[in-house]
Structure formats: structure tokens, C-alpha cells
Amino acid sequence: MVEKLRTSYRFENNGTGRREIYARIKVQSEAGVEQWGQLVWGYNSANEKIEVPYVRVLKADGSKIAASPDAIQDLSIPLEKEAPVYTDYRQKHVTVPGLRPGEELEYDFVTVTHTALAPGQFWMEHDFAQSGTVLDEQLELDVPKERAIKLKTKPGNDPKITETNGRSIYTWTSSHIEPDETDKEKDKDKKKEKPKKEPDPPAVQMTTFASWEQMGHWYAGLEKDRRQPDAEIRAKAAALIAGKTTDLDKIQALYDYVAPNFRYISLSFGVGRFQPHSAEDVLHNEYGDCKDKHTLLASLLEASGYHASSVLINSGRKIDADVASPSQFDHVFTMVPLGKEEVFMDSTTEVAPFRLLAPVLRDKQALIIPQEGTPHLEKTPADPPMMNRQFSEVNGKVTELGKLEAHVRYEMRGDTELYMRMLFRHVPRNKWTDWVKSISAYSGLGGEVSDLNVSDPTATHEPFKLEYKISAANFFDWSKKKADLMLPLSQISMAEANDDDDTDPVKIGSPVEYVYRLRLEFPAKYSERAPLPFSMKRDYARYEASYKVEGTVFTAERDLTTSINEMPAARNSDYIAFRRAVLADAGQHLSIDSSAAPTPTLSADLKGDELYDAAKAAAERGDFKTSIELLQKLVAADPKHKTAWMDLGRDYMVLRQTDDAVNAFKKQAELNPYDEFAYGALGWAYTTERKYDEAATAFGKAIEINPLSDYAHGALGAMYQESRQYDKAAAELEKAASLKADDAGLQINLGNAYLNLGQDDKALAAFDRAVQISATPEVWNDIAYQLSLKQVHLDRAQQYAESAVTAIANALRNLTVDQLSDRDLALVSELDANWDTLGWVYFARGDMAKAEKYVNAAWLLGEHGEVGDHLAQIYEKRGRKDAAINTYAMAMSGIRPTLETRGRLAALVGGEAKVPAAIEQHRMALQATRTIKLGKIAQTAGTAEFFVVVASSPTGSKIETAKFISGEEKLKPLTENLRNAKIDFSFPDDVPTKILRRGILTCTKDSGECEFVMMLPEDVHSVN
């Protein structure tokens, strides 16, 4: 939270001046420490210098710690290593001393302009904070009273003006409070999300340039001498245009030379300097920023008889035509007048086809600066010089196990072509296959890519072509009777429009042609139902989609063509309807059905590799039961398979079938007695079973095979720690941390070992190293938990635990069943652990009321035995014996109960002999805590799986949304009943958040009763 932010500008008539920024910031979390722990300020060393009056931390006890001179470094930017001529732009780095959550950072930076960029001229712009919380923001502008300036502010941002000592002083005040999530949700309900528009001009703009013509002449003077061709450039130009007969061919030859052969250095216009390097310097350096590349191209053009103009533009927003200021621009490129035609060229992309400007540069006002003539504002071309076209073709075959083998081919021209050329230009060639694999996965088709064939990114005279083969083992789930498939790689994008806006023109975008062709062949056991064909035509666009199933082959064709860039505002609803219909078709599925076939089985002649690939695919989609079934068949047919036993053991571990996992890992070790990973996995399984001696033997064998195995040393150390052999744990963890110094988890475990050995200083140092390596909620939580167990350093433990809870709760605020990811599943489990940790910190501090709230929520969510043990201890402390007995008994049936729980239960029920009965009595009560009774709502029996999102609200918990996942379709209409069901769950605080639960809905025919049993988060492995 920024408590105070003050920015002051002072300018003199000669163009010199200073800018001072003062800030006082309340740092509230570890994330804030990470953000503000080092301050970086850039400046142009040729005409500026930076002064740092102070950087200091205001501690909670009222003391102050100031950054020493040694903490302030003046450094070159990293770019200087690859582009040594750009030495003007430098950075001041200040390391903030001793900053911790709950403390205040205060700093004062002054940038002094000792040499005017434009003698006798000055300018500035400023935007007030629009994100985060800034309680008090002030802006001051101090200029000579007699100096004529152009000052423009947004409506409602009028300044207060005072005059003193021959100066005019303008002051503004502002503040911004970041709305909490509840307010944001209310705003969403009040108004629909509008399409994003380009940013507005800054809130405050000031310049002394009287006109664009005056500013343009200033810049023309800066570059005039730099673009004059010398003899070497004239000779190069003559050689490049030799044999070319038309003006366009000659200009293109020069462009084709500069664009790909001179590396672009990405420095925004004005960063470092406004004046370009000379054309001959750029020619020899073979690199340059936008103004340098333009200067070289302009010089070559001049040598060939063509007089190029400079084009100054803002790539991020439209310029404000009322304010002639250099600060409005961030880019420069080239324009050549050719009779009545204007040839625009931007050589900075390196691979743009001749005359193609990036979309962010088109249809915008720019300042055109001819060398001889009048600078003026002019709009850049609205459309590319060629039709935007994207052709995509997928031809594939699907195996009985749902694996897709396909050939993919793309051909692109225009904007998509430019994007792809730039990607492949900057990705190393040996990484292209991996990059295409990532692109394909991002587009919805993950798999292994081979036989890649890509056009040369610099061969811009022809369309860009890309083709490859892809093998997608997990194309669809063969084990289900029915499946709906999105058509692979069929994304169609259309510009958004605002249905509440009837004033602005409808921006459709440059004319485009999308062509999509798909052919998929399926095994005979499957039947396919094609989507509905669809076509729609307007005077501005046409869309056609056709789908066919012929025998075992499915084909699809989709064609979209648009013909104009924008339409009148009155036709907004027309375009929205057309777009909605096109996107609805793009969302149609291909339905796959094997209901007519027997229960899904595997052909007896399937090969080992096919079984193995199918098992891996099943595990990747979270279907570990199917993966185990496939791997069991594989090892039955091939007991000596190289890795199947290892994968089988891992699958068993996920399903908590530890004995089976032990046997599988033993088989793997028997196959290869030198497989360190098999012994490491065996040690993992034994540790889970708390068979510590066997675990030590297994890890020891792994270390014998590879004495430098960081995993084996670390896992052995963690096992010793769990079994409370802290001296042995520290020794092993020190070795592991030495072998893998960047592992935060190892540092936390090492710190815990030190903590239990009474070596607090070493423990805290290890914890600090963990945070330095990875300042994440998981790390904060783990450290806080270890401190709470020992009941030491509880202030730090609470800060870490609260930061972790807040971070995860915030990450889950926008959870929705329509856009789930595996990360969402992991976040719910993290929140479970974080609630327990914070509750246990409160327990250590003696605040039993808060402890109960957090630990109870964690227990009901995750049912971990250790969390149940915590809750029962809290009940004991609060004198609630019966509740403690019930919870200890249920904890014994939870996930991996602690060794101490049984003894605590025995002490309350009157001895060990009464423990089994108590456990059995409460076993079913555990499932009841996650069961929702829905009543008589169904006329038919069946089961189905659903996701529900449980949200906190002022009136308690509620099921916000529900979504059918799988099972019997006849239960799908009960989605609404689930959404309206009451849930007995209490969030521990008023922080707005949501949790995701997956469950099984079961309805019985005779009674019509239905109930929804929620699965434990740890047992949910897929969002499908």
C-alpha cells in the first residue's frame, strides 16, 4: 500500500530541469518485500544524473535503517553487452536494507537534466495511479511564469495554480483505492465486460513546442546529418538495386537488405537518446534501434534517389493531436513518397514482408517528418498490403486407444504470418520442434512433434509455411462410452464489440480469410456424430461450415472471410450477432460413441508400446485406475519392460495403495539392480508407510549406486526428520543442499532439523535462503508450520502463514467451473494446508478461538489425519472432551494419521482396548461431513460426477456453480438442484475466496433420494 507518492517537475527556460519522486510505502506481505526489496531507476547519462537523498526503512519499533552508499550501484543495462553503442542509458540499483512485512519503505529520487534534449524546450507527461492502493498522490509542475506552455489535463484533473518568485506552480492531488473482490463482483453484475480499447492519453501533458511542425523540424535537425550517405553507402545502394527496373523493386531491395541483416535492438524511441547514430556507424555495427535502422534505410534510399520521411508513432495508444510532445512517441519507421502513393516500411521486425506494418502501427495518426518539407500528422494505412490469409489442414488417424497420429499443415500471409516469422526468427533453430509442440498444445492439441518443416523466416516474398507430424496419445479417453471432441487446431478469432456502445464505429479489423480443413479416420468400433452444418452471409463477411461422416472418416471445412475494416456504429448489433453465431459454431463438438460396442476392452494384439503410451496418456489426464489396468496388462505380457514397473508404482502411490507400490518398485529394482531411482522410489513408499528402517536401507542403496544423488540424500534426510532422528537428518540434508543449492524445500527441511537440534540461528538462516530461492506461498507456509510446531519465532510464523493464506485465497477468488485447470485443483489442497498452518500458529500463541476456526475448515476440507489430530488437541484445550474423542477417532480414519493420535485417543476413552471401537463408531461420520443430502429429486436411479464451486458470502457458505462432468446423462438436469443445495461448511475468515469440490451424485430408484458425496481434494486428479 502506497501511503504517499509525490512527483515534482521543475523546468528552466533553457530546457534543463529536475524530477523528484518521493514515496512512503507500507509493505504488508512477503510478496511486497520481494517487490520492493530492490529499487531500480533508469536515466540517460548523456544529459541526466540521478541523486538519491535517502532510501530508508521505518521499523515497527520506530527506528530507521537507511541504505548506505555501498547499497547504491550505478550499472549499465544488460542490453549493453550485446549492443555496446548504447551506453547512454544506465540504471541506479538500490538494495533496501532489512525490509520486512509490516514495515514502511521511504525513498527520495531526483533526476537532474543538466543538458537539454532540445535547447530551449521541455515537456512532460504524468498518469495518476489506476491500480493498487495509493492513499495520497501529489503532482507538482514548476515552470517560469513568462514561458508559454501547452498544458492539457483530463476532465476532472484541473490543477491548483499559484505564482511566486517569477514561477508558475501547478499542483494536483489524487488517490486510488483498489476495490476488494466483493466490490469487483458487484461491478461485474452491474455492467458487462467491455472489449479492451487502447489506453487513453496521460492525465497530464505539457509541452513548450507550439506545433507539430516545430517539433518535427527539431527532430529533422537531429537526424539530418546522420542519414546523409557517404561513398560506402552509395556503393552498397548501387549494388543492391542493380538490375531492378521499377521504383518499387528498388525500394524493396533496399528494405530487404536492412530488415533482416541488421539486428533490431528493442529500445523505445527516446530511451538513451533522441538522436540516431550515423548511417555509416549502423552499417558497420550491423545492429540498431528503431531510429538507427530507419536512418540506415533512409540513407540507402537517399543514395538511390528516393527521399524518405521519418514516421514517429505510438505503438501502444493513439496520440493526442493537441499536444506536440516528443513523449507521445515510442517508435519510428520509414515512408517513401512515390508519386501519389506512399510506401510505408518498418524494418525493425526484421521479417515483415515488404510494406506490411504490424497491426499496432496501422490506422493511427503519426508525425510524418520529411527532410525537405512540412512535418504534419497523417494516418498510417489501415490494412496490410496483402489479404490476411490463414490456411490450416489436419489429416489424421485415431487408434483404438484414443491416440491421434496426424499431419498438420499451415500456410499464412499477413498479420499471422508476421507473428510466426518473428517467433521463428528469435527462437533458436534447435528449439523449433519444442516450440511447435508448445504452440500446438496451447492451441488445444498436445503431443509429440516430428518431421518439422518450416519456411525460412526471412523469405518474405512467399507465404509462410509450416508443416509437421504430431502424435497425441491422449486425444480422447477411450475408456468412456461417449466423448465430445473439439475439432483440433480450429481456433477462429474475431474482434470483440461492445453491445452497449452505439456511438463508436465497429472495428472488425483488416480483411481476413480463414480456411480450415480436417480429416479424421476412426476405428470401426466407434460411431461419430458430426456437428450441424452452418452458413451465414453479410455484406461485410461470410462464414460457411460443413461436416460429414462417411464410414469411419469424419471431415470438416470451415471458411471465414471478412471484407471491410470497420462499420458504422448503427450496425453494432448486426456484427455482434454474426460473431456470436460464428463462435458458437467454432464451439461445436464431434461426438464419439462406442455404446453399441461391448464394455471398453483392449485388443489382444496390442503391442507393448501401444499399451505403455495409452497408460501414460491415462495418467496424464488423471485417470490412474485406467493407467494401472494398462500397465498391469503390459507387465503381464512383458515382465521385463524397462520402465513399466516404475510407472505402475507411482500410480499406486497416487491412489495411496502403498503395499502394491512397494512391490512394483521392488520389481523395478530386481530388473536393474543399479537403478538408483527405483531404490529412491522404494524409500519413498516405505517412508509413507512409516517403515523407517526399510526406508533407510532403500535410500542407502540409492546413495551407494550414486553417492551424489541429491534426491536420495534429501529424501533420506526428510525421513530421518519425520522419524525425529534430527542429527542424522541434518547431516543428510546438508549434503543434499550442497548438491542442489537452489532447492527451497531442502533448505526448509534443513532449517527444521536445525530447529529441533536447538540451532535457531542456523535454522533461520536456512529458512531465509529458502525464501530467497522461492518466495512463494508454499515456502512461506512450510516455514511457518515448522516454527509453529516448535512454538518459536511466532511473529515471523504468523506473518508467513497469513501471507500464504491470503495469496492462495486471492488466487481462488476468480475460480469458475467453465475454465478449470489442474492448477486450480492444487490450489485447493494448498489452501487446506495453509489454513491448518495458520490455525496451528494461533494454537501456539494461545488463541484457541481462531485456531479452531482455521483448523476446523482445513479438517473438513482435506480430512488429513494430522489436521484432525490438531483439531482434537484444540478441543481438549477448550475442555470439550466429547468433541476431542470424536475428532481423534475420525482422524484415525483420515489420510495418514499421526502416530500420536492413537495414544491421545486412548487416554480420553479409558485405555487402548477401547480405541478400536471408538474408531469404528466414528468411521462413517467422516464421510458424512462431506455428504450433501438433496432429498427426493429424481425419478430414476444412477450416478454421475459433478464439480461444485463453494463460495464464502456474508450469510455463510453457498454453492455458487455446479457442472456435470461424467456419468449418466439422465442426471445432468440435477445440476440446478446441486447449485441450490445447502452446504455445511464454514470459511475461517471474511477473506473472499472459493473452493472447488468434485463429488459423486447418487440417486436410488425406489426412494428417489439423492445424495452428493464430495471427494477429498487429494483424490481429484483431473478437471475432466
Side-chain angles (χ1 to χ4, degrees), residues 466-523:
L466 167 67
E467 59 181 310
Y468 56 93
K469 292 180 179 178
I470 187 166
S471 176
N474 204 12
F475 183 59
F476 77 92
D477 187 353
W478 64 272
S479 64
K480 294 183 178 179
K481 287 282 189 178
K482 295 182 179 181
D484 287 332
L485 298 179
M486 292 292 292
L487 305 193
L489 307 178
S490 63
Q491 289 80 6
I492 289 179
S493 62
M494 297 184 69
E496 297 181 35
N498 180 12
D499 55 7
D500 293 330
D501 188 355
D502 56 1
T503 57
D504 293 335
V506 183
K507 299 287 187 179
I508 297 177
S510 298
V512 65
E513 180 183 1
Y514 287 104
V515 178
Y516 173 74
R517 299 291 181 263
L518 171 68
R519 182 185 186 278
L520 292 179
E521 183 178 349
F522 288 87

Side-chain angles (χ1 to χ4, degrees), residues 171 421 542 554 774:
T171 56
R421 289 186 186 279
R542 175 182 59 83
F554 167 73
S774 178

